[in-house]
């Protein structure tokens, strides 16, 4: 029996997500700068933060920076030892500039490198810095199959792929958009063990096993 609903989501947020003041300000300022309101919810951000800590990730790639909220959730979970790094990719230079200021606000700008450009072009330049422990995707969904090819080659065995909006804003079953087919692609790839964490709009999680 499925019991998850908006009320339980709110319960999780109130109980387990004491959003820090910097993160709260980043969410507010992202809206004030006129950026699209498509960043992670606090509940999803906390899950992503937990995932980085639980996997012990040190080398992370993020596709889709936006205002830096998800990147801050990731970077705050990285060891602050001068070697752990988040490489985040944003195609819009104005969004990247806002995110850079927000990383400073969160106190993580020393462990985040913002790459401005199309992910198709930036990802190959990061290959030499891998293999990576975790990749988070949250932009340019039509290109996910292409990104997945790069990820499968550059994610270490035991590494994790996380993807936001696995439910395609609730339309994954009715409209069967790109995400519907991408979810199936990952689910049937023998190199990965995968599932969807059903909070918010769903987060696909896949671990490379071979």
């Amino acid at each position: 029996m499925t019991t998850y609903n908006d009320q339980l989501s709110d319960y999780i947020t109130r109980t387990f997500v004491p959003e820090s003041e910097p993160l709260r300000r980043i969410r507010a300022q992202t809206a004030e700068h006129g950026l699209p309101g498509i960043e992670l919810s606090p509940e999803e951000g906390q899950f992503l933060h937990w995932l980085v800590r639980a996997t012990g990730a040190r080398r992370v790639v993020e596709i889709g920076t936006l205002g830096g909220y998800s990147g801050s959730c990731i970077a705050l979970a990285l060891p602050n030892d001068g070697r752990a790094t988040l490489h985040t990719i944003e195609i819009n230079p104005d969004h990247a500039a806002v995110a850079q200021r927000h990383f400073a606000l969160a106190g993580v700008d020393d462990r985040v490198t913002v790459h401005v450009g199309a992910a198709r072009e930036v990802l190959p330049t990061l290959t030499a810095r891998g293999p990576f422990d975790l990749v988070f995707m949250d932009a340019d969904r039509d290109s996910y199959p292409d990104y997945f090819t790069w990820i499968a080659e550059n994610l270490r065995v035991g590494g994790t792929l996380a993807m936001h909006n696995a439910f395609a804003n609730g339309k994954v079953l009715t409209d069967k958009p790109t995400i519907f087919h991408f979810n199936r692609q990952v689910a049937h790839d023998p190199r990965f063990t995968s599932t969807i964490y059903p909070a918010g709009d769903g987060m696909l999680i896949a671990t490379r096993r071979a």
Side-chain angles (χ1 to χ4, degrees):
M1 180 179 69
T2 301
T3 60
Y4 192 78
N5 54 34
D6 288 345
Q7 289 73 33
L8 290 175
S9 175
D10 181 63
Y11 165 73
I12 291 172
T13 298
R14 287 184 285 106
T15 305
F16 295 100
V17 192
E19 192 174 35
S20 67
E21 180 61 18
L23 288 177
R24 188 196 64 77
R25 289 176 60 190
I26 288 170
R27 286 172 55 79
Q29 291 178 15
T30 295
E32 290 169 5
H33 283 291
L35 275 66
I38 55 176
E39 73 273 5
L40 300 185
S41 67
E43 175 191 358
E44 293 168 319
Q46 177 70 1
F47 177 73
L48 187 59
H49 179 93
W50 171 86
L51 187 64
V52 174
R53 285 193 178 273
T55 59
R58 300 176 62 85
R59 295 182 300 275
V60 181
V61 172
E62 176 185 47
I63 301 173
T65 313
L66 195 63
Y69 186 85
S70 57
S72 294
C73 291
I74 291 170
L76 285 165
L78 293 173
N80 187 15
D81 58 7
R83 296 188 296 276
T85 306
L86 165 65
H87 293 276
T88 183
I89 304 170
E90 174 55 52
I91 195 170
N92 186 312
D94 294 332
H95 294 180
V98 171
Q100 191 68 66
R101 293 195 293 272
H102 287 168
F103 291 136
L105 174 61
V108 296
D109 52 325
D110 60 332
R111 69 199 84 160
V112 179
T113 301
V114 180
H115 302 267
V116 181
R120 288 175 180 268
E121 300 172 1
V122 175
L123 287 172
T125 71
L126 298 179
T127 297
R129 303 172 187 260
F132 293 94
D133 304 310
L134 188 145
V135 177
F136 176 58
M137 295 199 302
D138 193 18
D140 190 18
R141 291 169 181 80
D142 288 340
S143 297
Y144 278 7
D146 295 328
Y147 299 160
F148 186 58
T149 298
W150 182 90
I151 291 166
E153 295 173 352
N154 292 278
L155 191 68
R156 67 168 175 83
V157 173
T160 301
L161 163 65
M163 182 199 75
H164 191 214
N165 298 118
F167 294 150
N169 298 314
K171 298 178 180 179
V172 69
L173 294 179
T174 56
D175 295 352
K176 295 188 178 179
T178 299
I179 293 300
F180 174 86
H181 301 287
F182 182 73
N183 288 341
R184 292 190 62 182
Q185 178 184 356
V186 177
H188 291 91
D189 192 308
R191 296 168 296 180
F192 288 83
T193 300
S194 56
T195 190
I196 292 176
Y197 172 67
D201 193 38
M203 192 175 295
L204 181 146
I205 305 295
T207 300
R208 184 184 168 192
R209 62 185 183 185

